[in-house]
Amino acid sequence: HINRKGETQTVSDHCRNTALYASSSAERRHLSSAMYLAGILHDTGKLSGEFQKYITDGKGRRGSVSHSGTGGAFLLDIADKNSKLAAELIACAIYQHHGLMDCIADGEDVINRRSANAEACQDFLTKEKADDLLKKASGEISAYVKKIQETAKAMSRDSSANKNGMFLIGCLER
């Protein structure tokens, strides 16, 4: 990865730096673990052999070898029923980290194509560590969702409290 200053970073350094920045930025909202996971996993697809060959060979058009779904797929694979919502929200952020709805292209199911190589994450972030972080993230997101629902209910004077709360929860993924 080449940062804005033109300095070269390894994929590992880039992901760790992104995770630390995202985590510290989210402390105030009590979403540090969730944001750490999004940051650490967002570019792990670049560790795959296919992406490394693409970089090394310099052939192929930009974007022809996907990397943005790998981390999200890894989270969805390890999620259990208690951490599914957190995994889905974080996976959406990872899938879309290059732009709004980065998962649709000419009618092609880009999410499944981008979900290949989820195993590349395991060398970078152990399943045990990821599972621990996902459990923490799930707790953070559950508390955040509860706060959103309580706020929506307190602010609503009619029956739209649930609808308003769901809208705000949907905003959480962005």
Side-chain angles (χ1 to χ4, degrees):
H1 188 269
I2 300 174
N3 70 16
R4 291 181 180 163
K5 296 178 185 176
E7 300 166 330
T8 302
Q9 295 177 315
T10 65
V11 173
S12 297
D13 286 343
H14 170 67
C15 288
R16 283 189 182 90
N17 290 337
T18 301
L20 293 172
Y21 176 77
S23 178
S24 67
S25 296
E27 281 178 4
R28 180 169 75 103
R29 291 186 175 83
H30 308 287
L31 292 169
S32 294
S33 295
M35 293 303 293
Y36 185 90
L37 269 173
I40 199 84
L41 294 174
H42 83 284
D43 271 351
T44 53
K46 290 181 178 180
L47 297 170
S48 73
E50 183 183 12
F51 194 89
Q52 289 298 310
K53 186 175 183 331
Y54 160 75
I55 293 294
T56 305
D57 291 350
K59 296 178 182 175
R61 80 180 158 77
R62 185 180 177 118
S64 63
V65 179
S66 176
H67 71 278
S68 63
T70 303
F74 177 67
L75 280 179
L76 294 173
D77 285 348
I78 68 168
D80 62 21
K81 67 178 182 164
N82 296 320
S83 60
K84 188 173 185 205
L85 174 63
E88 287 175 349
L89 288 170
I90 297 166
C92 281
I94 293 169
Y95 288 144
Q96 299 176 37
H97 81 268
H98 282 293
L100 181 62
M101 293 311 291
D102 189 30
C103 55
I104 299 171
D106 299 325
E108 181 184 358
D109 183 358
V110 179
I111 286 181
N112 284 329
R113 180 173 57 99
R114 290 185 177 192
S115 296
N117 302 315
E119 69 279 354
C121 299
Q122 293 182 27
D123 292 333
F124 189 71
L125 181 67
T126 66
K127 182 184 179 304
E128 293 77 21
K129 177 69 174 170
D131 191 49
D132 182 54
L133 284 166
L134 186 55
K135 284 180 180 150
K136 290 177 183 173
S138 185
E140 292 170 349
I141 290 171
S142 291
Y144 204 82
V145 165
K146 184 177 179 182
K147 187 175 181 180
I148 288 171
Q149 289 170 327
E150 289 170 355
T151 302
K153 186 175 180 179
M155 294 176 68
S156 181
R157 295 186 181 138
D158 57 32
S159 63
S160 63
N162 189 43
K163 186 166 66 171
N164 293 339
M166 294 307 293
F167 170 76
L168 293 171
I169 292 165
C171 291
L172 182 60
E173 76 176 295
R174 295 301 287 147

